[in-house]
Amino acid sequence: MGLFGLLIGLMTGPEQATQPPPAPQTLHGYLWFEPGSLRPILRGDDPIEMLAPQIPPGAYVLIRGKADSAGDKGYNLELSRSRALMVADRLVRFGVSPGAITIEACGEAFQNRPTADGVSEPMNRFVSFDWRHVPFPSTDGCRSETYAEARASN
């Protein structure tokens, strides 16, 4: 440890100098979809309507669309993107800042219930929307874009 590290250790105490920062708290919402469509499945309260007002100003929002393996991989990637964009549009209407939103289209990647190709599985057709006070890392295997980029190319 150099002189600078020793001084920092003395100023903060040895326990504080070696403690990693706490992991950022992430809050989640989910919306499930009918097969091959943008039509959500609502059983009770609308999760967007219920959770959007709880997203604080300044939060980073990650919206991740997913699809089951029924249909072509390219189609499922675009369907997952369209579902995520639909959720993003609704969050913006509820007052979430468009600049805070990142959209990820994952298509068939990262399935909740892994299936063979061509299988329609309700647990794999959803959009998750998460928020926290620090930026999200990008997810390997998903196509990522800002809300503005998604809107401009749609």
Side-chain angles (χ1 to χ4, degrees), residues 67-83:
D68 60 22
S69 63
D72 173 83
K73 284 189 186 304
Y75 170 79
N76 286 334
L77 182 64
E78 285 307 311
L79 180 59
S80 69
R81 180 184 180 273
S82 296
R83 288 172 174 166

Side-chain angles (χ1 to χ4, degrees), residues 88-100:
D89 287 340
R90 292 199 54 216
L91 289 173
V92 167
R93 283 195 297 275
F94 274 97
V96 174
S97 169

Side-chain angles (χ1 to χ4, degrees), residues 31 58 67 72 83 93 106 113 119 121 136:
L31 189 62
D72 173 83
R83 288 172 174 166
R93 283 195 297 275
C106 300
R113 192 170 285 161
V119 175
E121 171 53 57
F136 288 90

Side-chain angles (χ1 to χ4, degrees), residues 100-116:
I101 297 174
T102 300
I103 293 173
E104 287 188 347
C106 300
E108 300 175 22
F110 313 109
Q111 294 183 335
N112 278 343
R113 192 170 285 161
T115 65

